Amino acid sequence: MRRRDFMGMLGGAVAWPIAAGAQTGGRVYRFGAFTSVSRPEMYRLPTVLTIFDEMRLAGFIEGQNLKLLDEGLGAKETELAAAAAALVMATPDVIYVGGSVFAKAAQAETRTIPIVTMSEDLVSDGLSSSLARPDGNVTGVSLLSPILDGKRGDLLRQAVPGLRQMAIIADSNVDSAAHIAELKALAAARGLELSVFFVKTSDEIASALNAAKASRADAVNVLANPLFFYNHRLIIERVRDLGLPAVYQWPDWAEQGALMGYGPSFDFVSRIVGRQLVKILRGTAPSDIPIEQPTKFELAINLKTAKVLGLDMPPTLLASADRIVE
C-alpha cells in the first residue's frame, strides 16, 4: 500500500451522540489519537493501519470527512496529564488510546468525550466496572494479557530444554504486584527460578535486559503492555544480541525476528477496535458498546531465530504452531 493511500485512511471521528448512520452531510469529524508515537510513526503501525482501514471501509476518510488532530500525538511518558489536557482542549469527537496508562490520563481530563482503547484488562485497570455495559465514556478491547502471560511462560519452557532460570521484564506503571506474584507462584510450581526486572520508561529497557542476562537467566518472558509494544523492535534486537530466547504478546512479531509470540493477531484485535469506532461515529454511546475480548489466539514461531539461538524446537511445539517463519 502506498503511503499516500494509507494517509487517506487516517482521520478524525465522532460526536457523541450522532444521529444513527450519520457520516456525511459535509461535517468533518475530529479524531484524537493519544499516544507516545508521532504522526509519521503512527502511519507505520500495523494496528493503526488496520483500525483506520476498517473506518475507511465504513466511509470515514481523512481529507474528506475526518481530521486527525496533532494534539495527543508524541505525548511524553512524563507529561501525560498536560498532553491529555491539550488533546481535550482541541475538542475531538472521539479519542483512540493504546493502553491503560494513556486511557486513564485521558479519562481524568474528560468524562464526556468517547474513548476507545486496547488495554490488558479494562475492568482490572479501573476503566470500567463491566464488560457487558461500560459505565462511563470508555470502551474497547481487553486483551486478556494477565492470563496469557502465564501461558507464554509455559511455551517458553517447552522451547528451551532444561530451562531453570527465567526472567520477566515488566512495566512498573502497568504490571501489578498481584500479577507478578501469580507469575512467581506459577514458576515455582514448574520448578523454575523467576527474576523480575522492572522498567518505567523506554530508556530503561536495554539496561533491564542486560541485567536479565547478567542474572544468568536462560530465557525472557516479555510481559504484555503498551511500553513494550511501542519498543518491541528494540527488545527483539537486544535479546537477540544477548542470545536470550524470548516470548512476546503478539504472534505477528515472529515476522520481525521474535522467537515466539502467543496471543491474538494484530488484524483480529484492530478490526474490532475499528468497528467500535465506527459505531460511535454512527451515534452509539460508549456505554452501549460492550468491551470485547479476543476469542482466537495464535502461536507463531520463527525458526531462523531459533537456529541463531541454537534451539532445536520440539516437534510437539511446532505442531501446535499456527504460523512458522522459516
Side-chain angles (χ1 to χ4, degrees), residues 27-39:
R27 178 174 178 176
V28 176
Y29 300 101
R30 298 169 64 81
F31 181 83
F34 191 29
T35 172
S36 62
V37 301
S38 65
R39 183 185 287 260

Side-chain angles (χ1 to χ4, degrees), residues 207-220:
S207 59
L209 292 170
N210 291 343
K213 177 67 174 180
S215 75
R216 298 187 178 180
D218 301 310
V220 179

Side-chain angles (χ1 to χ4, degrees), residues 14-20 27 112 114 280-286:
V14 142
W16 170 36
I18 303 171
R27 178 174 178 176
T112 56
I280 291 178
L281 284 164
R282 290 177 171 167
T284 304

Side-chain angles (χ1 to χ4, degrees), residues 60-85:
F60 299 96
I61 304 170
E62 189 185 17
Q64 296 183 22
N65 59 352
L66 298 178
K67 178 179 174 60
L68 176 63
L69 302 176
D70 288 320
E71 293 84 354
L73 300 177
K76 295 182 179 179
E77 299 162 354
T78 55
E79 301 175 1
L80 291 186

Side-chain angles (χ1 to χ4, degrees), residues 42-57:
M42 276 191 68
Y43 295 158
R44 294 193 293 268
L45 290 174
T47 48
V48 173
L49 187 153
T50 304
I51 287 169
F52 287 101
D53 180 56
E54 194 71 25
M55 295 173 67
R56 178 187 63 83
L57 292 173

